[in-house]
Amino acid sequence: MNVTVFGATGAIGQLTVAELLNRGHRVTAYARNPQKVPESWADDNVRVVIGEMSDAEAIDSAVVGADAVVSTLGPSMDRKVVGTPLVPGIGNILASMKDHGVRRFVGHATPSILDAQESPTAVTRLTSFLARTFVPRAYEEMTGMSGQIKASGLDWTIIRFIRPTDKPKQPRVRIGFFGTDRLGFPVSRADIAAVTAAQVEDDRYVGRAPAISN
């Protein structure tokens, strides 16, 4: 499949690109900063598109020809950052997907965003409270992004996680929903990338927002 990855040069983004390549997919990587593009991508024939999230034309050029789109974008936790640029940015991605008939979208969020079939639990209430209290701008950006994705009418999946770590892939990855499944807090970025890449060719969680942990 041809897969376009937004946020491709981030920590999880680079791991996701590697996972997609290992699974035999062709990747288009969208990046803001050309200096962060790994040299190895040239050897892997990764197509790179450079642009801001406000650049609808560049986003369109990255989406055209894709079979699926993956977003590893997430709000900055820096309290000095102002505005919510990822909200209109996601809007540009979703609009381009609809224009080009691309149905499959896989993105990321935290448990502060509930799955439609979940009821609030102690964990989801805690994550929401902490986000609203200490990083309200990031919380607004996350809810704005997720709301658009859920309302898009596309075949979307949102992978949720709480505390990413730099550990390698772990022997156990739990995936499920709060209130019905046993889930923890930490999860390795390597496992986040692997689960994310797997959703491209798996429709099990279409229209759902499963959470993962180790």
Side-chain angles (χ1 to χ4, degrees):
M1 297 173 68
N2 294 319
V3 184
T4 298
V5 180
F6 289 88
T9 57
I12 296 174
Q14 290 191 36
L15 292 169
T16 302
V17 169
E19 287 286 343
L20 289 165
L21 293 171
N22 288 339
R23 297 176 76 94
H25 300 301
R26 295 174 293 278
V27 175
T28 293
Y30 193 87
R32 293 179 56 225
N33 188 347
Q35 296 181 344
K36 291 186 178 181
V37 174
E39 294 181 2
S40 61
W41 284 2
D43 296 330
D44 292 326
N45 295 316
V46 174
R47 175 178 171 243
V48 177
V49 177
I50 303 297
E52 299 289 336
M53 293 308 298
S54 59
D55 191 339
E57 185 175 345
I59 288 173
D60 200 63
S61 71
V63 170
V64 64
D67 298 303
V69 169
V70 171
S71 170
T72 64
L73 296 165
S76 170
M77 295 296 110
D78 187 344
R79 296 188 185 184
K80 296 179 181 179
V81 173
V82 296
T84 56
L86 295 183
V87 176
I90 285 291
N92 288 333
I93 295 170
L94 299 175
S96 183
M97 290 178 66
K98 292 176 183 178
D99 286 345
H100 295 292
V102 183
R103 297 288 310 167
R104 190 70 174 114
F105 179 93
V106 183
H108 289 166
T110 71
S112 59
I113 307 299
L114 288 179
D115 178 80
Q117 299 181 42
E118 279 180 334
S119 296
T121 67
V123 172
T124 62
R125 289 190 181 98
L126 176 62
T127 55
S128 296
F129 170 78
L130 293 175
R132 292 195 308 270
T133 304
F134 297 105
V135 282
R137 187 210 61 82
Y139 178 76
E140 179 185 354
E141 193 161 44
M142 179 68 75
T143 55
M145 293 166 64
S146 299
Q148 289 185 86
I149 294 165
K150 291 182 175 182
S152 67
L154 299 175
D155 297 331
W156 59 267
T157 298
I158 297 174
I159 302 299
R160 298 175 299 159
F161 48 88
I162 300 176
R163 186 164 67 83
T165 73
D166 289 325
K167 292 181 178 181
K169 289 182 182 178
Q170 299 298 295
R172 171 179 288 178
V173 179
R174 300 179 185 273
I175 182 165
F177 301 91
F178 291 98
T180 56
D181 298 297
R182 185 179 179 186
L183 294 160
F185 284 79
V187 60
S188 73
R189 290 181 174 87
D191 284 320
I192 296 170
V195 171
T196 300
Q199 303 313 304
V200 166
E201 54 201 87
D202 188 347
D203 61 2
R204 188 179 333 174
Y205 295 111
V206 168
R208 301 298 303 274
I212 60 174
S213 73
N214 291 132

